[in-house]
Short mmCIF file of all heavy atoms in Angstrom, two decimals:
data_model
loop_
_atom_site.label_atom_id
_atom_site.label_comp_id
_atom_site.label_asym_id
_atom_site.label_seq_id
_atom_site.Cartn_x
_atom_site.Cartn_y
_atom_site.Cartn_z
N VAL A 234 0.65 8.09 -0.10
CA VAL A 234 -0.58 8.92 0.00
C VAL A 234 -0.32 10.12 0.83
O VAL A 234 -0.76 11.26 0.45
CB VAL A 234 -1.71 8.01 0.55
CG1 VAL A 234 -2.86 8.90 0.85
CG2 VAL A 234 -2.05 6.86 -0.34
N SER A 235 0.33 9.93 1.93
CA SER A 235 0.58 11.07 2.86
C SER A 235 1.69 10.68 3.89
O SER A 235 1.94 9.53 4.15
CB SER A 235 -0.67 11.30 3.62
OG SER A 235 -0.50 12.36 4.54
N GLY A 236 2.34 11.72 4.44
CA GLY A 236 3.20 11.52 5.50
C GLY A 236 2.42 11.62 6.79
O GLY A 236 1.26 12.04 6.76
N MET A 237 3.02 11.22 7.88
CA MET A 237 2.37 11.48 9.22
C MET A 237 3.04 12.60 9.91
O MET A 237 4.16 13.00 9.56
CB MET A 237 2.56 10.15 10.02
CG MET A 237 1.84 9.06 9.57
SD MET A 237 1.98 7.61 10.74
CE MET A 237 1.82 6.21 9.67
N THR A 238 2.28 13.26 10.85
CA THR A 238 2.76 14.30 11.62
C THR A 238 2.94 13.86 13.04
O THR A 238 2.42 12.85 13.45
CB THR A 238 1.91 15.58 11.53
OG1 THR A 238 0.60 15.18 12.02
CG2 THR A 238 1.80 16.12 10.13
N GLN A 239 3.63 14.66 13.82
CA GLN A 239 3.80 14.44 15.31
C GLN A 239 2.32 14.38 15.90
O GLN A 239 1.48 15.13 15.59
CB GLN A 239 4.50 15.54 16.00
CG GLN A 239 4.64 15.39 17.53
CD GLN A 239 5.30 14.15 17.99
OE1 GLN A 239 6.27 13.76 17.44
NE2 GLN A 239 4.67 13.49 18.87
N GLY A 240 2.08 13.37 16.72
CA GLY A 240 0.73 13.15 17.28
C GLY A 240 0.53 14.09 18.49
O GLY A 240 1.36 14.90 18.87
N PRO A 241 -0.62 13.88 19.15
CA PRO A 241 -1.03 14.74 20.14
C PRO A 241 -0.34 14.49 21.51
O PRO A 241 -0.39 15.41 22.38
CB PRO A 241 -2.50 14.48 20.33
CG PRO A 241 -2.65 13.13 19.84
CD PRO A 241 -1.67 12.94 18.74
N ILE A 242 0.41 13.43 21.59
CA ILE A 242 1.16 13.07 22.80
C ILE A 242 2.52 12.71 22.45
O ILE A 242 2.80 12.32 21.27
CB ILE A 242 0.44 12.03 23.65
CG1 ILE A 242 0.36 10.67 22.99
CG2 ILE A 242 -0.92 12.42 24.19
CD1 ILE A 242 -0.09 9.56 23.74
N THR A 243 3.41 12.59 23.38
CA THR A 243 4.76 12.19 23.15
C THR A 243 4.70 10.76 22.62
O THR A 243 3.88 10.00 23.04
CB THR A 243 5.60 12.24 24.40
OG1 THR A 243 5.54 13.57 24.89
CG2 THR A 243 7.02 11.79 24.22
N ASN A 244 5.68 10.45 21.73
CA ASN A 244 5.78 9.09 21.15
C ASN A 244 4.54 8.72 20.46
O ASN A 244 3.94 7.60 20.65
CB ASN A 244 6.17 8.02 22.23
CG ASN A 244 7.49 8.30 22.72
OD1 ASN A 244 8.41 8.75 22.03
ND2 ASN A 244 7.82 7.91 23.96
N SER A 245 4.07 9.58 19.55
CA SER A 245 2.90 9.25 18.70
C SER A 245 3.03 9.93 17.35
O SER A 245 3.75 10.97 17.31
CB SER A 245 1.58 9.62 19.35
OG SER A 245 1.46 11.07 19.49
N LEU A 246 2.38 9.37 16.39
CA LEU A 246 2.27 9.95 15.06
C LEU A 246 0.84 9.90 14.71
O LEU A 246 0.03 9.18 15.16
CB LEU A 246 3.09 9.13 14.00
CG LEU A 246 4.57 9.07 14.10
CD1 LEU A 246 5.24 8.11 13.15
CD2 LEU A 246 5.23 10.42 13.88
N GLU A 247 0.51 10.91 13.83
CA GLU A 247 -0.93 11.13 13.46
C GLU A 247 -1.12 11.27 11.94
O GLU A 247 -0.29 11.84 11.27
CB GLU A 247 -1.34 12.39 14.25
CG GLU A 247 -2.77 12.75 13.95
CD GLU A 247 -3.19 13.93 14.89
OE1 GLU A 247 -2.48 14.98 14.73
OE2 GLU A 247 -4.22 13.89 15.52
N TRP A 248 -2.27 10.74 11.50
CA TRP A 248 -2.63 10.90 10.11
C TRP A 248 -4.11 11.44 10.07
O TRP A 248 -4.93 10.87 10.77
CB TRP A 248 -2.56 9.67 9.25
CG TRP A 248 -3.00 9.84 7.84
CD1 TRP A 248 -2.67 10.84 6.94
CD2 TRP A 248 -3.82 8.87 7.10
NE1 TRP A 248 -3.27 10.61 5.73
CE2 TRP A 248 -3.91 9.43 5.76
CE3 TRP A 248 -4.39 7.68 7.45
CZ2 TRP A 248 -4.77 8.83 4.80
CZ3 TRP A 248 -5.16 7.10 6.46
CH2 TRP A 248 -5.29 7.59 5.17
N ASP A 249 -4.37 12.47 9.31
CA ASP A 249 -5.66 13.09 9.28
C ASP A 249 -6.67 12.50 8.21
O ASP A 249 -7.67 13.03 8.00
CB ASP A 249 -5.53 14.62 9.16
CG ASP A 249 -4.89 15.06 7.81
OD1 ASP A 249 -4.66 14.18 7.01
OD2 ASP A 249 -4.80 16.21 7.71
N GLY A 250 -6.22 11.47 7.58
CA GLY A 250 -7.07 10.81 6.54
C GLY A 250 -7.18 11.61 5.28
O GLY A 250 -8.06 11.42 4.46
N LYS A 251 -6.17 12.46 5.04
CA LYS A 251 -6.14 13.32 3.87
C LYS A 251 -4.88 13.08 3.09
O LYS A 251 -3.85 12.61 3.62
CB LYS A 251 -6.25 14.77 4.18
CG LYS A 251 -7.57 15.10 4.86
CD LYS A 251 -7.61 16.62 5.23
CE LYS A 251 -8.99 16.97 5.93
NZ LYS A 251 -8.93 18.34 6.34
N SER A 252 -4.97 13.35 1.73
CA SER A 252 -3.78 13.40 0.84
C SER A 252 -3.89 14.79 0.11
O SER A 252 -4.89 15.02 -0.59
CB SER A 252 -3.97 12.23 -0.08
OG SER A 252 -2.82 12.22 -1.02
N ASN A 253 -2.81 15.55 0.26
CA ASN A 253 -2.73 16.78 -0.40
C ASN A 253 -4.07 17.64 -0.03
O ASN A 253 -4.57 18.36 -0.89
CB ASN A 253 -2.63 16.71 -1.96
CG ASN A 253 -1.34 16.08 -2.30
OD1 ASN A 253 -0.31 16.33 -1.74
ND2 ASN A 253 -1.43 15.23 -3.33
N GLY A 254 -4.41 17.59 1.16
CA GLY A 254 -5.50 18.45 1.76
C GLY A 254 -6.90 17.91 1.47
O GLY A 254 -7.87 18.47 1.82
N GLN A 255 -7.01 16.76 0.65
CA GLN A 255 -8.30 16.29 0.28
C GLN A 255 -8.52 14.93 1.02
O GLN A 255 -7.60 14.12 1.11
CB GLN A 255 -8.34 15.98 -1.20
CG GLN A 255 -8.14 17.19 -2.06
CD GLN A 255 -9.34 18.19 -1.90
OE1 GLN A 255 -10.40 17.86 -1.89
NE2 GLN A 255 -8.93 19.43 -1.78
N VAL A 256 -9.70 14.61 1.56
CA VAL A 256 -10.07 13.41 2.19
C VAL A 256 -9.87 12.28 1.24
O VAL A 256 -10.33 12.40 0.06
CB VAL A 256 -11.49 13.48 2.74
CG1 VAL A 256 -11.90 12.11 3.29
CG2 VAL A 256 -11.71 14.50 3.71
N VAL A 257 -9.20 11.26 1.69
CA VAL A 257 -9.00 10.08 0.73
C VAL A 257 -10.25 9.20 0.62
O VAL A 257 -11.14 9.29 1.55
CB VAL A 257 -7.82 9.18 1.29
CG1 VAL A 257 -6.52 9.91 1.38
CG2 VAL A 257 -8.17 8.60 2.72
N PRO A 258 -10.40 8.57 -0.47
CA PRO A 258 -11.52 7.65 -0.66
C PRO A 258 -11.53 6.46 0.39
O PRO A 258 -10.43 6.15 0.82
CB PRO A 258 -11.33 7.15 -2.01
CG PRO A 258 -10.34 7.98 -2.76
CD PRO A 258 -9.47 8.59 -1.68
N GLY A 259 -12.69 6.00 0.69
CA GLY A 259 -12.70 4.87 1.57
C GLY A 259 -11.91 3.69 0.95
O GLY A 259 -11.86 3.53 -0.20
N GLY A 260 -11.37 2.88 1.85
CA GLY A 260 -10.54 1.77 1.47
C GLY A 260 -9.55 1.39 2.54
O GLY A 260 -9.51 1.89 3.64
N VAL A 261 -8.69 0.47 2.12
CA VAL A 261 -7.58 -0.04 2.88
C VAL A 261 -6.30 0.69 2.57
O VAL A 261 -6.01 0.76 1.42
CB VAL A 261 -7.42 -1.55 2.80
CG1 VAL A 261 -6.25 -2.03 3.73
CG2 VAL A 261 -8.73 -2.26 3.23
N TYR A 262 -5.56 1.14 3.56
CA TYR A 262 -4.35 1.93 3.43
C TYR A 262 -3.27 1.17 4.32
O TYR A 262 -3.58 0.65 5.23
CB TYR A 262 -4.42 3.30 3.76
CG TYR A 262 -5.36 4.06 2.83
CD1 TYR A 262 -6.75 4.07 2.96
CD2 TYR A 262 -4.80 4.69 1.70
CE1 TYR A 262 -7.54 4.72 2.09
CE2 TYR A 262 -5.67 5.35 0.78
CZ TYR A 262 -7.04 5.34 0.94
OH TYR A 262 -7.84 5.95 0.06
N ILE A 263 -2.09 1.30 3.86
CA ILE A 263 -0.93 0.67 4.65
C ILE A 263 -0.26 1.80 5.40
O ILE A 263 0.08 2.86 4.78
CB ILE A 263 0.09 0.00 3.62
CG1 ILE A 263 -0.68 -1.03 2.87
CG2 ILE A 263 1.27 -0.54 4.38
CD1 ILE A 263 0.15 -1.54 1.63
N TYR A 264 0.03 1.60 6.64
CA TYR A 264 0.91 2.51 7.36
C TYR A 264 2.26 1.94 7.49
O TYR A 264 2.42 0.60 7.49
CB TYR A 264 0.28 2.86 8.82
CG TYR A 264 0.33 1.72 9.73
CD1 TYR A 264 1.48 1.50 10.51
CD2 TYR A 264 -0.78 1.01 9.99
CE1 TYR A 264 1.47 0.38 11.46
CE2 TYR A 264 -0.81 0.01 10.96
CZ TYR A 264 0.28 -0.25 11.73
OH TYR A 264 0.31 -1.26 12.59
N GLN A 265 3.25 2.75 7.41
CA GLN A 265 4.69 2.38 7.55
C GLN A 265 5.34 3.35 8.47
O GLN A 265 5.46 4.46 8.24
CB GLN A 265 5.34 2.42 6.11
CG GLN A 265 6.61 1.77 6.03
CD GLN A 265 7.08 1.57 4.65
OE1 GLN A 265 7.48 2.58 3.97
NE2 GLN A 265 6.93 0.44 4.01
N ILE A 266 5.79 2.77 9.59
CA ILE A 266 6.49 3.59 10.55
C ILE A 266 7.90 3.05 10.69
O ILE A 266 8.18 1.89 10.74
CB ILE A 266 5.80 3.46 11.93
CG1 ILE A 266 4.37 4.08 11.84
CG2 ILE A 266 6.63 4.15 13.08
CD1 ILE A 266 3.59 3.90 13.06
N GLU A 267 8.93 3.99 10.63
CA GLU A 267 10.35 3.64 10.65
C GLU A 267 11.04 4.17 11.77
O GLU A 267 10.87 5.36 12.14
CB GLU A 267 10.94 4.10 9.33
CG GLU A 267 12.45 3.69 9.30
CD GLU A 267 13.10 3.98 7.94
OE1 GLU A 267 12.52 4.67 7.10
OE2 GLU A 267 14.28 3.62 7.81
N ALA A 268 11.80 3.36 12.46
CA ALA A 268 12.63 3.75 13.60
C ALA A 268 13.76 2.84 13.67
O ALA A 268 13.66 1.59 13.53
CB ALA A 268 11.77 3.62 14.92
N GLU A 269 14.99 3.40 13.88
CA GLU A 269 16.25 2.70 13.90
C GLU A 269 16.39 1.69 12.71
O GLU A 269 16.77 0.54 12.91
CB GLU A 269 16.32 1.95 15.27
CG GLU A 269 16.31 2.90 16.46
CD GLU A 269 16.48 2.15 17.72
OE1 GLU A 269 16.67 0.94 17.80
OE2 GLU A 269 16.29 2.88 18.79
N ASP A 270 16.11 2.16 11.54
CA ASP A 270 16.20 1.33 10.32
C ASP A 270 15.31 0.08 10.32
O ASP A 270 15.62 -0.80 9.63
CB ASP A 270 17.61 1.00 10.07
CG ASP A 270 18.51 2.17 9.74
OD1 ASP A 270 17.96 3.14 9.07
OD2 ASP A 270 19.67 2.16 10.24
N ILE A 271 14.30 0.06 11.19
CA ILE A 271 13.35 -0.93 11.12
C ILE A 271 11.95 -0.43 10.73
O ILE A 271 11.55 0.59 11.21
CB ILE A 271 13.15 -1.59 12.62
CG1 ILE A 271 14.55 -2.11 13.06
CG2 ILE A 271 12.12 -2.67 12.62
CD1 ILE A 271 14.49 -2.53 14.59
N LEU A 272 11.23 -1.19 9.85
CA LEU A 272 9.99 -0.74 9.31
C LEU A 272 8.93 -1.61 10.01
O LEU A 272 9.06 -2.79 10.16
CB LEU A 272 9.88 -1.00 7.77
CG LEU A 272 10.66 -0.15 6.92
CD1 LEU A 272 10.54 -0.50 5.47
CD2 LEU A 272 10.18 1.36 7.11
N PHE A 273 7.91 -0.86 10.46
CA PHE A 273 6.77 -1.50 11.08
C PHE A 273 5.54 -1.19 10.16
O PHE A 273 5.31 -0.03 9.86
CB PHE A 273 6.46 -0.98 12.43
CG PHE A 273 7.64 -1.11 13.46
CD1 PHE A 273 8.62 -0.14 13.47
CD2 PHE A 273 7.69 -2.25 14.22
CE1 PHE A 273 9.69 -0.31 14.35
CE2 PHE A 273 8.74 -2.46 15.06
CZ PHE A 273 9.79 -1.45 15.12
N ASN A 274 4.89 -2.24 9.65
CA ASN A 274 3.77 -2.03 8.74
C ASN A 274 2.45 -2.59 9.24
O ASN A 274 2.53 -3.53 10.07
CB ASN A 274 4.07 -2.80 7.41
CG ASN A 274 5.31 -2.23 6.78
OD1 ASN A 274 5.33 -1.14 6.36
ND2 ASN A 274 6.40 -3.07 6.62
N GLY A 275 1.37 -2.04 8.75
CA GLY A 275 0.10 -2.56 9.03
C GLY A 275 -0.93 -1.87 8.21
O GLY A 275 -0.59 -1.20 7.26
N THR A 276 -2.22 -2.08 8.42
CA THR A 276 -3.23 -1.47 7.61
C THR A 276 -4.19 -0.64 8.46
O THR A 276 -4.41 -0.87 9.68
CB THR A 276 -4.03 -2.59 6.90
OG1 THR A 276 -4.63 -3.46 7.83
CG2 THR A 276 -3.21 -3.37 5.90
N VAL A 277 -4.80 0.31 7.77
CA VAL A 277 -5.84 1.20 8.32
C VAL A 277 -6.98 1.13 7.33
O VAL A 277 -6.74 1.28 6.11
CB VAL A 277 -5.32 2.65 8.48
CG1 VAL A 277 -6.41 3.54 8.89
CG2 VAL A 277 -4.17 2.71 9.39
N VAL A 278 -8.22 1.01 7.87
CA VAL A 278 -9.41 1.03 6.94
C VAL A 278 -10.11 2.41 7.12
O VAL A 278 -10.41 2.79 8.26
CB VAL A 278 -10.39 -0.16 7.34
CG1 VAL A 278 -11.59 -0.07 6.44
CG2 VAL A 278 -9.64 -1.47 7.07
N ILE A 279 -10.28 3.11 6.01
CA ILE A 279 -11.00 4.31 5.96
C ILE A 279 -12.52 4.06 5.43
O ILE A 279 -12.61 3.46 4.48
CB ILE A 279 -10.36 5.32 5.07
CG1 ILE A 279 -8.95 5.61 5.54
CG2 ILE A 279 -11.17 6.65 4.96
CD1 ILE A 279 -8.83 6.26 6.89
N ILE A 280 -13.47 4.48 6.23
CA ILE A 280 -14.82 4.32 5.81
C ILE A 280 -15.44 5.78 5.73
O ILE A 280 -15.45 6.50 6.77
CB ILE A 280 -15.60 3.48 6.87
CG1 ILE A 280 -15.08 2.13 6.93
CG2 ILE A 280 -17.06 3.47 6.48
CD1 ILE A 280 -15.57 1.31 8.04
N ASN A 281 -15.84 6.09 4.62
CA ASN A 281 -16.49 7.47 4.40
C ASN A 281 -17.95 7.33 4.42
O ASN A 281 -18.58 6.50 4.13
CB ASN A 281 -16.03 8.00 2.99
CG ASN A 281 -14.52 8.24 2.91
OD1 ASN A 281 -13.81 7.82 3.82
ND2 ASN A 281 -14.09 8.94 1.96
#
């Protein structure tokens, strides 16, 4: 859906709830963070 950008503080990533500049529909999304060839997954719920 989207990549993440550097967050507002050191050691953080941020997502603005958009895909290609458009707000995503409400629902459940999966986040995937990768470091040292290890994937960390979880979910984020968007409520519009």
